[in-house]
Amino acid sequence: MKMITAIIKPFRLDDVRELLTEVGITGMTIEDVKGFGRQKGHTELYRGSEYVIDFVPKIKIQLAVSDENTAVAVDAIEKAANTNKIGDGKIFVETLEQAVRIRTGEVGEDAL
C-alpha cells in the first residue's frame, strides 16, 4: 500500500477529485495549507499599498491506495492539477505499513 500526498493549487481540487473518481479512487482527505517552494510567495495590492505574501494558499490531498493503483492515482493527480505554471505543486508517494478500518476491523488493503 502507498500513501500519496499531493500539494496543489486550490482551484484545481474539483478537477483532481473528479478525475480520481473516474479512475476508481474514491477516498481522500484534504486540508487547506500554506507554503512556498521555488515560487517564494507573491505580492498583492490592497488599498494602494503593496504587500508581500510569503506563504501561498494550497490544498493538501492525502489518499491511501493499493500498490497497483499508485501509478494510476499519481497520473490522474498530475494530469488534473497541471496548469503549466509555476506553483502547480508536488506529489509525494510513501510506503504505507498498515491500514485498519475502525468500524469493521478490516486490515491492510481490505481497509482501503
Side-chain angles (χ1 to χ4, degrees):
M1 296 178 296
K2 303 291 185 196
M3 176 65 75
I4 299 173
T5 303
I7 310 296
I8 65 169
K9 292 181 176 182
F11 68 90
R12 302 304 295 176
L13 177 60
D14 287 335
D15 295 328
V16 170
R17 184 190 53 79
E18 287 172 12
L19 194 52
L20 283 170
T21 302
E22 283 178 24
V23 298
I25 310 294
T26 55
M28 70 178 67
T29 301
I30 67 161
E31 294 178 72
D32 289 316
V33 295
K34 294 181 180 185
F36 69 90
R38 293 183 182 161
Q39 193 175 3
K40 296 185 178 90
H42 64 279
T43 58
E44 287 186 4
L45 221 63
Y46 179 72
R47 294 187 178 185
S49 298
E50 197 171 274
Y51 293 91
V52 175
I53 308 297
D54 290 331
F55 294 96
V56 180
K58 300 285 183 177
I59 295 288
K60 178 179 175 181
I61 302 171
Q62 288 188 302
L63 50 145
V65 297
S66 62
D67 288 331
E68 55 269 3
N69 286 337
T70 302
V72 172
V74 169
D75 289 343
I77 295 168
E78 186 178 4
K79 188 179 297 181
N82 188 359
T83 65
N84 287 321
K85 295 193 168 90
I86 192 166
D88 275 349
K90 295 222 174 21
I91 302 171
F92 306 100
V93 180
E94 302 172 81
T95 300
L96 183 60
E97 295 247 348
Q98 184 66 284
V100 178
R101 185 183 309 269
I102 295 172
R103 181 178 55 87
T104 62
E106 294 171 293
V107 295
E109 288 190 15
D110 293 335
L112 300 180

